[in-house]
Each structure stands twice: as structure tokens, then as C-alpha cells.
Amino acid sequence: MRTILVKHTFYMTLFNFIQNYFSLVLLFAPAGMFFCFLILFKSNPKLSITEYFPYLSWQFFVIIITGTIATIGGFLDWRFHRKTLRMKLSKKERTVEAIALGLGGLPMFFLMWFAMISANPIEFLLPIILVLIFTVTAICYDEFIFHKKRCGNLENRYHQMLIFGNGIAWLAWFHFIYIK
């Protein structure tokens, strides 16, 4: 009986840990993967990485700066919820955030990356637009259902950093892929 109780306690602790930190992992995943992929694919001519300063095109600098702002805003919001407010997110809110990040943000990242290194990026345009619509809908649902009435000025500032930072980074990346 004691063994069963210990196993149950371990699994519940693990489940709570994953549930509480999953959105944080999803928040940092695109930034980490972007950096790693730039290093791994630095010889790909589609990336236009040079040996001389400024090394990267201007779009990459915009992505790095605004993506960093977005990631900082997302982390501060996550921390604000857990440390400052000492509140637990509802299961619905946590699910919607995980859906927006996991089913929207990560597929968008991979679609954009594959489009960027593809010989024919136009093939990725329709899936990118569909995932974009899905992601924006999930973010709007989260903002208007869970955050509109509850959030104060500071928390809204974090959300603005996250949303507008990611939006500008995405636009710069889209420009690099399809317009440059």
C-alpha cells in the first residue's frame, strides 16, 4: 500500500510540475530553436549569412530584438501569475495558452523555418496562413475571455510585449521569406 501511495504522489507531483511549467517551456522553445537552427544551417545560402558584419539581414535583427521582447514579456507574465499574484490559472486558461503556444506557435515556427530554407517557399504559404489564423484566434480567445476584466496595467503591458513582439518578429520573418 505504501508503494502505491509513493508512486501516486510521485506521478501527481510530476503531473503538477508539467502542468505548471509546460507553457513556459513552449514560450522559450521558438527562441531557442531559432538560435540553434541559425547555427546549424549557417551555410545554407537561403539564410544569407555572411562572414562580415552585419552577418545577418536586417529582418533577422528585427526578429532577434522583437522576439526577445516578446519572450521577456511572456516570462514576466508567467512569473507575475505565479509569484506576484500567487494565483493559479484555471485549467481552461492554461489549456488555451498551451493550445496557442503548442498548436499554434510551434507549428508556425517549423512552417516558417521550412519555408525559409525551401527552394519553393510558396508551397508553405497556405499552411502558414491557416496556422496564423488559428493562432491569432486562440490568442484573442485567451485575451478576451480570461484577461480582459482581470488584468491590470502591468500585466497588460506584459501581454502587449508578448503579442506585439511576436507579431513584429513574424512580420519581419515573413518579409525575409516572401518579399526580400
Side-chain angles (χ1 to χ4, degrees), residues 1 24-25 28-29 51 67 74 76 79 106 108 114 148 154 156:
M1 182 70 172
L24 187 63
V25 171
F28 282 102
E51 294 180 13
L76 291 173
R79 186 174 170 270
L106 285 180
M108 177 62 74
F114 291 138
K148 186 176 180 181
L154 182 61
N156 279 327

Side-chain angles (χ1 to χ4, degrees), residues 77-92:
D77 181 54
W78 180 88
R79 186 174 170 270
F80 185 77
H81 277 264
R82 280 139 184 98
K83 301 289 183 197
T84 306
L85 296 179
R86 297 202 190 292
M87 62 190 252
K88 291 211 171 230
L89 298 176
S90 69
K91 186 176 180 182
K92 268 187 167 180

